[in-house]
Amino acid sequence: MRAYQVTEFGKTELVENAPKPSPAKGEVLLKIHACALNFADLLMIKGTYQERPNLPFAPGMEVAGEIVALGDGVSNLEIGARVAVFGGHGGLAEYGVFPAALCVALPDAMDFVTAAAFQVAYSTSHVALDYRADLKPGETLLVLGAAGGVGLTAVELGKLMGATVIAVARGADKLAVAKEAGADHLIDTETDDLRARVKELGGADVVYDPVGGDLFTAALRSCNPEARVLTIGFASGDVPQIAANHLLVKNITVIGFYWGGYLKFKPEVLTDSLSKLFSLHGSGKITPHISHTLPLSQTEEALELLRSRRSTGKVVVEMTN
């Protein structure tokens, strides 16, 4: 089979004759149709992500495809079933083995590209805003990186949850995408003073931050009393240091959030979230924004779209020739 592999950390290649895996006990073999990319894939390739698979490996965290073989002990799934899986890695290949317990059945109306782009971005925002931050109708949600893969879903879901949404992104084109997703107010990091603008708009009750760096600091200083700040990731490359006295004075809570961590200690949080999100998609209330879809042979170009921040929403790789 073909697979885009990390042969050593920082080095990748498209392997044309990689061995086709076989499912072990409790696993399924998936014919992968589509794999959505995430910023974490870039970190995994470099070897700086919190999880480091054994070399060589195919990156690609979230996939959608068709089950073609079952490992021993798998009785709740059938060959031919269409499923989505967050497998952590292994998605940038024509076939992959994944735990059966992580497979989520796809609605009949959902295609593979949509399904691949759906899981991490939407469920990250849904679990963060609903389960962790308890976002309430009427509150003000400040979304940093609002045109990115997870940021855009935070705008969309925040609006559905009844919040006033302030979207922060770089440049008019990206802000237009956030506006289309439902943002009430827009802040351009190229021209605007984030802290001053948020304060003018009444301050933030919940901050959704996949960026980190100076934007985190500015957002923290624009918070209202009892605000909740969600640390989703650090796309800026700068992990901010938190001034605890700022938290004390306004009774602010900073909430660490790693979506994939729930797979290990509370997976029902994620499966419940995905079930609710599939229902929202089926009723037409949410639709993934996919800016680019490329074939496996152009995986490097697809990753560069993330690396250079030229994409909006999600980038998906299809296993086509």
Side-chain angles (χ1 to χ4, degrees), residues 50-89:
Q50 53 257 42
E51 297 178 12
R52 289 163 60 103
N54 294 328
L55 295 167
F57 69 91
M61 295 182 161
E62 52 182 336
V63 303
E66 178 185 354
I67 294 174
V68 293
L70 304 174
D72 289 344
V74 178
S75 59
N76 62 325
L77 295 168
E78 296 180 352
I79 291 176
R82 301 167 67 253
V83 297
V85 188
F86 177 83
H89 67 279

Side-chain angles (χ1 to χ4, degrees), residues 123-136:
S123 192
T124 292
S125 294
H126 181 253
V127 177
L129 295 176
D130 184 53
Y131 182 76
R132 293 289 280 152
D134 191 24
L135 178 66
K136 296 178 175 62

Side-chain angles (χ1 to χ4, degrees), residues 84-197:
V85 188
F86 177 83
H89 67 279
L92 288 170
E94 291 179 322
Y95 293 88
V97 291
F98 303 99
L102 301 183
C103 294
V104 180
L106 298 184
D108 291 340
M110 184 177 284
D111 63 79
F112 290 120
V113 170
T114 299
F118 195 89
Q119 297 173 90
V120 172
Y122 272 115
S123 192
T124 292
S125 294
H126 181 253
V127 177
L129 295 176
D130 184 53
Y131 182 76
R132 293 289 280 152
D134 191 24
L135 178 66
K136 296 178 175 62
E139 290 190 311
T140 295
L141 169 65
L142 176 65
V143 181
L144 308 183
V150 293
L152 201 57
T153 61
V155 171
E156 193 175 1
L157 291 174
K159 193 63 182 174
L160 279 176
M161 294 169 72
T164 296
V165 180
I166 304 172
V168 180
R170 180 182 298 174
D173 290 346
K174 290 190 175 183
L175 287 171
V177 174
K179 179 70 173 177
E180 187 176 348
D184 299 285
H185 305 285
L186 308 174
I187 295 178
D188 189 338
T189 57
E190 290 183 335
T191 58
D192 296 329
D193 182 322
L194 188 150
R195 181 188 177 193
R197 283 286 294 124

Side-chain angles (χ1 to χ4, degrees), residues 36-55:
L37 302 183
N38 293 276
F39 182 77
D41 290 314
L42 299 176
L43 301 180
M44 191 172 288
I45 288 169
K46 291 192 295 183
T48 58
Y49 192 57
Q50 53 257 42
E51 297 178 12
R52 289 163 60 103
N54 294 328
L55 295 167

Side-chain angles (χ1 to χ4, degrees), residues 2-4 32 35 37 58-60 90-94 296 299 303 317 319:
R2 294 184 306 149
Y4 182 84
I32 299 169
C35 174
L37 302 183
L92 288 170
E94 291 179 322
L296 182 63
T299 297
L303 289 165
V317 172
M319 306 308 143

Side-chain angles (χ1 to χ4, degrees), residues 20-35:
K20 184 177 175 181
S22 299
K25 183 178 181 179
E27 293 181 334
V28 301
L29 175 64
L30 201 67
K31 178 177 174 56
I32 299 169
H33 287 265
C35 174

